[in-house]
Every structure is written in C-alpha cells, then in structure tokens.
mmCIF file of all heavy atoms in Angstrom:
data_model
loop_
_atom_site.group_PDB
_atom_site.id
_atom_site.type_symbol
_atom_site.label_atom_id
_atom_site.label_comp_id
_atom_site.label_asym_id
_atom_site.label_seq_id
_atom_site.Cartn_x
_atom_site.Cartn_y
_atom_site.Cartn_z
ATOM 1 N N MET Z 1 -31.190 -58.810 119.234
ATOM 2 C CA MET Z 1 -29.834 -59.173 119.634
ATOM 3 C C MET Z 1 -29.537 -60.637 119.319
ATOM 4 O O MET Z 1 -28.423 -60.986 118.934
ATOM 5 C CB MET Z 1 -29.641 -58.907 121.126
ATOM 6 C CG MET Z 1 -29.589 -57.437 121.506
ATOM 7 S SD MET Z 1 -28.225 -56.530 120.729
ATOM 8 C CE MET Z 1 -26.829 -57.316 121.531
ATOM 9 N N VAL Z 2 -30.528 -61.498 119.470
ATOM 10 C CA VAL Z 2 -30.328 -62.934 119.236
ATOM 11 C C VAL Z 2 -30.381 -63.258 117.744
ATOM 12 O O VAL Z 2 -29.583 -64.057 117.231
ATOM 13 C CB VAL Z 2 -31.394 -63.751 119.994
ATOM 14 C CG1 VAL Z 2 -31.312 -65.225 119.606
ATOM 15 C CG2 VAL Z 2 -31.218 -63.581 121.497
ATOM 16 N N THR Z 3 -31.304 -62.626 117.023
ATOM 17 C CA THR Z 3 -31.570 -62.984 115.634
ATOM 18 C C THR Z 3 -30.667 -62.267 114.641
ATOM 19 O O THR Z 3 -30.308 -62.831 113.606
ATOM 20 C CB THR Z 3 -33.043 -62.651 115.291
ATOM 21 O OG1 THR Z 3 -33.895 -63.297 116.228
ATOM 22 C CG2 THR Z 3 -33.392 -63.089 113.884
ATOM 23 N N GLY Z 4 -30.307 -61.016 114.953
ATOM 24 C CA GLY Z 4 -29.646 -60.175 113.974
ATOM 25 C C GLY Z 4 -28.171 -60.432 113.791
ATOM 26 O O GLY Z 4 -27.531 -61.129 114.578
ATOM 27 N N HIS Z 5 -27.640 -59.836 112.742
ATOM 28 C CA HIS Z 5 -26.217 -59.880 112.430
ATOM 29 C C HIS Z 5 -25.679 -58.455 112.368
ATOM 30 O O HIS Z 5 -26.417 -57.502 112.102
ATOM 31 C CB HIS Z 5 -25.979 -60.566 111.077
ATOM 32 C CG HIS Z 5 -26.518 -61.957 111.002
ATOM 33 N ND1 HIS Z 5 -25.809 -63.056 111.417
ATOM 34 C CD2 HIS Z 5 -27.720 -62.425 110.572
ATOM 35 C CE1 HIS Z 5 -26.538 -64.141 111.242
ATOM 36 N NE2 HIS Z 5 -27.697 -63.794 110.724
ATOM 37 N N ILE Z 6 -24.378 -58.304 112.612
ATOM 38 C CA ILE Z 6 -23.748 -56.995 112.478
ATOM 39 C C ILE Z 6 -23.820 -56.575 111.009
ATOM 40 O O ILE Z 6 -23.362 -57.313 110.129
ATOM 41 C CB ILE Z 6 -22.291 -57.029 112.955
ATOM 42 C CG1 ILE Z 6 -22.234 -57.301 114.463
ATOM 43 C CG2 ILE Z 6 -21.576 -55.723 112.625
ATOM 44 C CD1 ILE Z 6 -22.832 -56.207 115.324
ATOM 45 N N PRO Z 7 -24.397 -55.403 110.704
ATOM 46 C CA PRO Z 7 -24.527 -54.975 109.305
ATOM 47 C C PRO Z 7 -23.240 -54.351 108.791
ATOM 48 O O PRO Z 7 -23.069 -53.138 108.769
ATOM 49 C CB PRO Z 7 -25.654 -53.937 109.375
ATOM 50 C CG PRO Z 7 -25.541 -53.366 110.752
ATOM 51 C CD PRO Z 7 -25.032 -54.470 111.642
ATOM 52 N N LEU Z 8 -22.307 -55.195 108.381
ATOM 53 C CA LEU Z 8 -21.044 -54.683 107.863
ATOM 54 C C LEU Z 8 -21.284 -53.802 106.640
ATOM 55 O O LEU Z 8 -22.215 -54.041 105.863
ATOM 56 C CB LEU Z 8 -20.124 -55.849 107.475
ATOM 57 C CG LEU Z 8 -19.532 -56.673 108.614
ATOM 58 C CD1 LEU Z 8 -18.711 -57.824 108.046
ATOM 59 C CD2 LEU Z 8 -18.677 -55.814 109.536
ATOM 60 N N PRO Z 9 -20.470 -52.778 106.446
ATOM 61 C CA PRO Z 9 -20.610 -51.929 105.263
ATOM 62 C C PRO Z 9 -20.544 -52.759 103.984
ATOM 63 O O PRO Z 9 -19.848 -53.785 103.940
ATOM 64 C CB PRO Z 9 -19.409 -50.978 105.368
ATOM 65 C CG PRO Z 9 -19.067 -50.953 106.818
ATOM 66 C CD PRO Z 9 -19.376 -52.326 107.331
ATOM 67 N N PRO Z 10 -21.245 -52.339 102.935
ATOM 68 C CA PRO Z 10 -21.287 -53.121 101.690
ATOM 69 C C PRO Z 10 -19.915 -53.429 101.117
ATOM 70 O O PRO Z 10 -19.701 -54.512 100.554
ATOM 71 C CB PRO Z 10 -22.094 -52.234 100.742
ATOM 72 C CG PRO Z 10 -22.915 -51.365 101.641
ATOM 73 C CD PRO Z 10 -22.095 -51.139 102.865
ATOM 74 N N TYR Z 11 -18.953 -52.497 101.247
ATOM 75 C CA TYR Z 11 -17.636 -52.705 100.658
ATOM 76 C C TYR Z 11 -16.814 -53.732 101.434
ATOM 77 O O TYR Z 11 -15.800 -54.203 100.947
ATOM 78 C CB TYR Z 11 -16.873 -51.373 100.550
ATOM 79 C CG TYR Z 11 -17.003 -50.480 101.765
ATOM 80 C CD1 TYR Z 11 -16.256 -50.703 102.910
ATOM 81 C CD2 TYR Z 11 -17.884 -49.414 101.764
ATOM 82 C CE1 TYR Z 11 -16.391 -49.891 104.025
ATOM 83 C CE2 TYR Z 11 -18.023 -48.584 102.867
ATOM 84 C CZ TYR Z 11 -17.272 -48.824 103.994
ATOM 85 O OH TYR Z 11 -17.417 -48.023 105.096
ATOM 86 N N ILE Z 12 -17.261 -54.107 102.641
ATOM 87 C CA ILE Z 12 -16.643 -55.215 103.363
ATOM 88 C C ILE Z 12 -17.469 -56.485 103.156
ATOM 89 O O ILE Z 12 -16.928 -57.556 102.856
ATOM 90 C CB ILE Z 12 -16.510 -54.900 104.863
ATOM 91 C CG1 ILE Z 12 -15.529 -53.742 105.087
ATOM 92 C CG2 ILE Z 12 -16.033 -56.137 105.640
ATOM 93 C CD1 ILE Z 12 -15.396 -53.314 106.544
ATOM 94 N N ALA Z 13 -18.787 -56.359 103.299
ATOM 95 C CA ALA Z 13 -19.669 -57.521 103.189
ATOM 96 C C ALA Z 13 -19.584 -58.190 101.822
ATOM 97 O O ALA Z 13 -19.791 -59.400 101.708
ATOM 98 C CB ALA Z 13 -21.107 -57.100 103.478
ATOM 99 N N SER Z 14 -19.248 -57.414 100.775
ATOM 100 C CA SER Z 14 -19.142 -58.004 99.439
ATOM 101 C C SER Z 14 -17.885 -58.854 99.288
ATOM 102 O O SER Z 14 -17.759 -59.618 98.327
ATOM 103 C CB SER Z 14 -19.145 -56.905 98.376
ATOM 104 O OG SER Z 14 -18.008 -56.069 98.510
ATOM 105 N N LYS Z 15 -16.948 -58.727 100.234
ATOM 106 C CA LYS Z 15 -15.668 -59.433 100.134
ATOM 107 C C LYS Z 15 -15.497 -60.542 101.168
ATOM 108 O O LYS Z 15 -14.701 -61.449 100.980
ATOM 109 C CB LYS Z 15 -14.514 -58.436 100.250
ATOM 110 C CG LYS Z 15 -14.451 -57.432 99.099
ATOM 111 C CD LYS Z 15 -13.323 -56.443 99.303
ATOM 112 C CE LYS Z 15 -13.165 -55.550 98.074
ATOM 113 N NZ LYS Z 15 -14.379 -54.748 97.824
ATOM 114 N N ARG Z 16 -16.245 -60.464 102.253
ATOM 115 C CA ARG Z 16 -16.176 -61.519 103.269
ATOM 116 C C ARG Z 16 -17.423 -61.461 104.132
ATOM 117 O O ARG Z 16 -18.112 -60.443 104.199
ATOM 118 C CB ARG Z 16 -14.927 -61.374 104.142
ATOM 119 C CG ARG Z 16 -14.928 -60.154 105.059
ATOM 120 C CD ARG Z 16 -13.810 -60.250 106.093
ATOM 121 N NE ARG Z 16 -13.761 -59.115 106.991
ATOM 122 C CZ ARG Z 16 -14.501 -59.001 108.097
ATOM 123 N NH1 ARG Z 16 -15.381 -59.940 108.407
ATOM 124 N NH2 ARG Z 16 -14.384 -57.939 108.881
ATOM 125 N N GLY Z 17 -17.719 -62.565 104.813
ATOM 126 C CA GLY Z 17 -18.870 -62.604 105.697
ATOM 127 C C GLY Z 17 -18.546 -62.072 107.079
ATOM 128 O O GLY Z 17 -17.385 -61.948 107.470
ATOM 129 N N GLU Z 18 -19.599 -61.775 107.823
ATOM 130 C CA GLU Z 18 -19.447 -61.372 109.216
ATOM 131 C C GLU Z 18 -18.960 -62.553 110.047
ATOM 132 O O GLU Z 18 -19.327 -63.697 109.793
ATOM 133 C CB GLU Z 18 -20.809 -60.884 109.743
ATOM 134 C CG GLU Z 18 -20.825 -60.604 111.232
ATOM 135 C CD GLU Z 18 -22.135 -61.010 111.893
ATOM 136 O OE1 GLU Z 18 -22.998 -61.604 111.207
ATOM 137 O OE2 GLU Z 18 -22.271 -60.774 113.104
ATOM 138 N N ASP Z 19 -18.124 -62.287 111.044
ATOM 139 C CA ASP Z 19 -17.718 -63.335 111.973
ATOM 140 C C ASP Z 19 -17.733 -62.786 113.394
ATOM 141 O O ASP Z 19 -18.056 -61.621 113.627
ATOM 142 C CB ASP Z 19 -16.352 -63.928 111.603
ATOM 143 C CG ASP Z 19 -15.261 -62.872 111.516
ATOM 144 O OD1 ASP Z 19 -15.301 -61.888 112.286
ATOM 145 O OD2 ASP Z 19 -14.347 -63.028 110.674
ATOM 146 N N GLU Z 20 -17.379 -63.633 114.354
ATOM 147 C CA GLU Z 20 -17.471 -63.245 115.763
ATOM 148 C C GLU Z 20 -16.606 -62.040 116.095
ATOM 149 O O GLU Z 20 -16.951 -61.220 116.942
ATOM 150 C CB GLU Z 20 -17.088 -64.431 116.658
ATOM 151 C CG GLU Z 20 -18.219 -65.406 116.915
ATOM 152 C CD GLU Z 20 -19.446 -64.750 117.531
ATOM 153 O OE1 GLU Z 20 -19.298 -64.036 118.548
ATOM 154 O OE2 GLU Z 20 -20.544 -64.923 116.986
ATOM 155 N N SER Z 21 -15.470 -61.895 115.440
ATOM 156 C CA SER Z 21 -14.584 -60.782 115.750
ATOM 157 C C SER Z 21 -15.225 -59.439 115.405
ATOM 158 O O SER Z 21 -14.901 -58.416 116.015
ATOM 159 C CB SER Z 21 -13.252 -60.928 115.016
ATOM 160 O OG SER Z 21 -13.429 -60.876 113.614
ATOM 161 N N ASP Z 22 -16.156 -59.428 114.440
ATOM 162 C CA ASP Z 22 -16.795 -58.174 114.062
ATOM 163 C C ASP Z 22 -17.663 -57.625 115.191
ATOM 164 O O ASP Z 22 -17.810 -56.407 115.314
ATOM 165 C CB ASP Z 22 -17.636 -58.355 112.805
ATOM 166 C CG ASP Z 22 -16.782 -58.550 111.560
ATOM 167 O OD1 ASP Z 22 -15.876 -57.736 111.327
ATOM 168 O OD2 ASP Z 22 -17.003 -59.542 110.838
ATOM 169 N N ARG Z 23 -18.236 -58.482 116.008
ATOM 170 C CA ARG Z 23 -19.054 -57.985 117.126
ATOM 171 C C ARG Z 23 -18.190 -57.199 118.107
ATOM 172 O O ARG Z 23 -18.691 -56.315 118.803
ATOM 173 C CB ARG Z 23 -19.745 -59.149 117.836
ATOM 174 C CG ARG Z 23 -20.840 -59.790 116.995
ATOM 175 C CD ARG Z 23 -22.035 -60.173 117.823
ATOM 176 N NE ARG Z 23 -23.152 -60.614 117.006
ATOM 177 C CZ ARG Z 23 -24.395 -60.716 117.445
ATOM 178 N NH1 ARG Z 23 -24.679 -60.383 118.689
ATOM 179 N NH2 ARG Z 23 -25.362 -61.119 116.645
ATOM 180 N N ARG Z 24 -16.906 -57.504 118.156
ATOM 181 C CA ARG Z 24 -15.970 -56.750 119.002
ATOM 182 C C ARG Z 24 -15.336 -55.600 118.224
ATOM 183 O O ARG Z 24 -15.293 -54.468 118.702
ATOM 184 C CB ARG Z 24 -14.872 -57.697 119.507
ATOM 185 C CG ARG Z 24 -13.789 -57.000 120.329
ATOM 186 C CD ARG Z 24 -12.609 -57.922 120.571
ATOM 187 N NE ARG Z 24 -11.894 -58.237 119.327
ATOM 188 C CZ ARG Z 24 -11.878 -59.427 118.758
ATOM 189 N NH1 ARG Z 24 -12.519 -60.451 119.314
ATOM 190 N NH2 ARG Z 24 -11.205 -59.623 117.631
ATOM 191 N N ASP Z 25 -14.877 -55.884 117.014
ATOM 192 C CA ASP Z 25 -14.119 -54.887 116.247
ATOM 193 C C ASP Z 25 -14.973 -53.727 115.773
ATOM 194 O O ASP Z 25 -14.488 -52.599 115.661
ATOM 195 C CB ASP Z 25 -13.458 -55.552 115.033
ATOM 196 C CG ASP Z 25 -12.390 -56.557 115.415
ATOM 197 O OD1 ASP Z 25 -11.884 -56.474 116.549
ATOM 198 O OD2 ASP Z 25 -12.074 -57.419 114.583
ATOM 199 N N TYR Z 26 -16.252 -53.989 115.476
ATOM 200 C CA TYR Z 26 -17.127 -52.959 114.910
ATOM 201 C C TYR Z 26 -17.909 -52.251 116.027
ATOM 202 O O TYR Z 26 -19.098 -51.979 115.906
ATOM 203 C CB TYR Z 26 -18.073 -53.587 113.891
ATOM 204 C CG TYR Z 26 -18.665 -52.626 112.884
ATOM 205 C CD1 TYR Z 26 -17.854 -51.844 112.067
ATOM 206 C CD2 TYR Z 26 -20.041 -52.515 112.727
ATOM 207 C CE1 TYR Z 26 -18.404 -50.973 111.139
ATOM 208 C CE2 TYR Z 26 -20.600 -51.644 111.786
ATOM 209 C CZ TYR Z 26 -19.769 -50.877 111.005
ATOM 210 O OH TYR Z 26 -20.310 -50.009 110.072
ATOM 211 N N GLN Z 27 -17.198 -51.970 117.122
ATOM 212 C CA GLN Z 27 -17.792 -51.333 118.289
ATOM 213 C C GLN Z 27 -16.714 -50.523 118.990
ATOM 214 O O GLN Z 27 -15.587 -51.009 119.170
ATOM 215 C CB GLN Z 27 -18.329 -52.396 119.247
ATOM 216 C CG GLN Z 27 -19.343 -51.928 120.254
ATOM 217 C CD GLN Z 27 -20.739 -51.843 119.669
ATOM 218 O OE1 GLN Z 27 -21.155 -50.773 119.239
ATOM 219 N NE2 GLN Z 27 -21.472 -52.957 119.641
ATOM 220 N N THR Z 28 -17.013 -49.282 119.355
ATOM 221 C CA THR Z 28 -16.038 -48.502 120.119
ATOM 222 C C THR Z 28 -15.959 -49.039 121.541
ATOM 223 O O THR Z 28 -16.899 -49.671 122.041
ATOM 224 C CB THR Z 28 -16.441 -47.019 120.153
ATOM 225 O OG1 THR Z 28 -17.679 -46.879 120.869
ATOM 226 C CG2 THR Z 28 -16.589 -46.458 118.745
ATOM 227 N N ILE Z 29 -14.835 -48.766 122.223
ATOM 228 C CA ILE Z 29 -14.676 -49.279 123.586
ATOM 229 C C ILE Z 29 -15.534 -48.511 124.583
ATOM 230 O O ILE Z 29 -15.709 -48.967 125.719
ATOM 231 C CB ILE Z 29 -13.192 -49.240 124.025
ATOM 232 C CG1 ILE Z 29 -12.684 -47.792 124.074
ATOM 233 C CG2 ILE Z 29 -12.328 -50.102 123.115
ATOM 234 C CD1 ILE Z 29 -11.303 -47.665 124.718
#
C-alpha cells in the first residue's frame, strides 16, 4: 500500500501518469 502505484491500463498510462485522483477514481464506491 505504501510502495505501490495504481496500475492504470496501458492505454491510459501511455498518455499520462498516475495521480492522486486515480486512487479515488479507479475504485468503485
């Protein structure tokens, strides 16, 4: 949890980096 990053899909990761909003957006409520 401390070391890792959200593994964005390749078609997103190739166009932009992960940011803090992804930890919220890439998770169901």
Side-chain angles (χ1 to χ4, degrees):
M1 289 299 293
V2 172
T3 305
H5 302 274
I6 294 295
L8 289 177
Y11 42 79
I12 294 177
S14 64
K15 295 178 173 62
R16 68 168 180 85
E18 173 218 5
D19 56 34
E20 277 303 309
S21 64
D22 289 309
R23 290 219 172 196
R24 176 191 67 249
D25 294 340
Y26 201 57
Q27 199 81 264
T28 65
I29 63 171

